[in-house]
């Protein structure tokens, strides 16, 4: 799989559909989490030698990005867990609705045979209770969040790569005061409706203080056609906003 946009020089490995890849493994003894209350998810990342990794590269200001999504692509959470000295991570999740959840860890080893390569691994957990799945909303070109209108246009470039153009406005006026979030003007996570493959990326726009927008450009590696549920996070005046819409890739 080609390099993830926003992370030059790194080879991305996996779409989050496996717990192990190239000898690197996401381990956890937790197979279920309680419903309706905050919960902690402990895990380790082990390398090809079977030992927990404790040295990770900083990518977009963090050593590990952690995502949670329910099987119907609701309940999105994007966290940055803490790691103990022995390599045990703890992700503090907000309350989860009943159902099947996939938990993803995105990381880049700073040592070992694949130093500098990004990995996206995942495991599933069950949250007990009656699960009422929501149908995926229809594909749309725009959505609103906290008074902001976010429009997304998609066009193919080469191979599996798609050029995504995001335009942000408020009250009909273009927004040009986006603040840096994770060293860029936005963070985009997309989950495939069929298999829950994860794509995550940042815009190619150069960061210049609190002057981002109104247009952001992404090169998205979306290998599977069909519907993707997109979560776009951006920040203004110290507040983080999360815009959500369905994007259809032919």
């Amino acid at each position: 799989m080609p390099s993830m946009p926003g992370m030059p020089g790194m080879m991305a490995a996996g779409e989050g559909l496996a717990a192990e890849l190239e000898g690197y493994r996401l381990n956890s003894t937790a197979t279920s989490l309680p419903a309706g209350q905050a919960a902690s998810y402990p895990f380790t990342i082990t390398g090809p030698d079977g030992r927990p990794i404790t040295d990770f590269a900083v990518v977009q200001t963090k050593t590990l990005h952690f995502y949670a999504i329910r099987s119907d692509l609701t309940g999105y959470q994007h966290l940055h867990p803490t790691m103990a000295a022995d390599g045990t991570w703890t992700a503090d999740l907000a309350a989860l609705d009943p159902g099947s959840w996939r938990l993803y860890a995105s990381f880049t080893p700073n040592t070992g045979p694949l130093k500098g390569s990004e990995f996206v691994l995942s495991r599933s957990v069950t949250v007990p209770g009656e699960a009422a799945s929501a149908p995926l909303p229809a594909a749309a070109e725009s959505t609103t969040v906290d008074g902001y209108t976010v429009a997304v246009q998609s066009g193919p470039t080469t191979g599996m790569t798609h050029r995504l153009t995001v335009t942000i406005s408020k009250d009909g006026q273009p927004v040009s005061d986006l603040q840096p979030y994770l060293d860029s003007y936005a963070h985009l996570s997309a989950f495939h409706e069929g298999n829950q493959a994860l794509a995550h990326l940042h815009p190619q726009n150069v960061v210049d203080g609190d002057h981002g927008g109104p247009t952001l450009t992404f090169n998205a590696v979306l290998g599977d056609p069909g519907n993707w549920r997109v979560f776009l996070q951006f920040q203004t005046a110290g507040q983080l906003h999360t815009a959500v819409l369905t994007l259809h890739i032919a």
Side-chain angles (χ1 to χ4, degrees):
M1 186 174 177
S3 297
M4 283 290 183
M7 302 178 187
M10 298 181 183
M11 178 174 290
E15 297 175 299
L17 299 178
E20 183 174 0
L21 192 63
E22 300 290 348
Y24 291 83
R25 183 174 178 83
L26 170 61
N27 303 284
S28 181
T29 58
T31 58
S32 65
L33 293 172
Q37 65 185 66
S40 293
Y41 181 77
F43 64 95
T44 59
I45 304 293
T46 53
D49 61 2
R51 299 177 180 178
I53 300 173
T54 58
D55 189 6
F56 295 85
V58 175
V59 177
Q60 300 295 332
T61 75
K62 305 296 180 180
T63 52
L64 188 141
H65 296 258
F66 189 89
Y67 306 88
I69 196 79
R70 205 170 74 144
S71 59
D72 62 355
L73 306 188
T74 63
Y76 171 79
Q77 296 186 41
H78 174 196
L79 310 173
H80 304 109
T82 56
M83 186 188 72
D86 66 354
T88 300
W89 294 86
T90 302
D92 294 323
L93 293 155
L96 303 175
D97 290 333
S100 176
W101 289 75
R102 188 178 290 272
L103 308 178
Y104 307 77
S106 171
F107 62 92
T108 299
N110 205 31
T111 186
L114 290 178
K115 174 182 177 180
S117 297
E118 183 196 12
F119 285 84
V120 184
L121 303 177
S122 75
R123 300 188 75 91
S124 295
V125 295
T126 299
V127 177
E130 185 175 350
S133 295
L136 191 73
E141 294 183 349
S142 66
T143 188
T144 59
V145 58
D146 303 329
Y148 292 88
T149 298
V150 177
V152 180
Q153 291 184 321
S154 170
T157 53
T158 59
M160 297 184 300
T161 305
H162 291 258
R163 174 69 55 83
L164 300 184
T165 303
V166 174
T167 305
I168 301 176
S169 60
K170 188 173 186 180
D171 299 325
Q173 299 299 315
V175 169
S176 58
D177 63 346
L178 300 183
Q179 297 176 321
Y181 170 62
L182 302 178
D183 264 356
S184 63
Y185 285 128
H187 179 280
L188 188 150
S189 307
F191 300 86
H192 188 262
E193 180 184 21
N195 59 13
Q196 294 181 291
L198 167 64
H200 65 109
L201 50 148
H202 297 80
Q204 298 180 315
N205 305 63
V206 175
V207 174
D208 179 25
D210 298 351
H211 307 294
T215 301
L216 305 174
T217 302
F218 302 79
N219 280 341
V221 180
L222 303 174
D224 297 314
N227 289 325
W228 290 76
R229 194 64 170 157
V230 173
F231 298 82
L232 179 80
Q233 296 180 289
F234 62 96
Q235 182 169 283
T236 59
Q239 181 181 356
L240 184 63
H241 314 278
T242 303
V244 187
L245 56 76
T246 301
L247 180 68
H248 183 75
I249 299 297

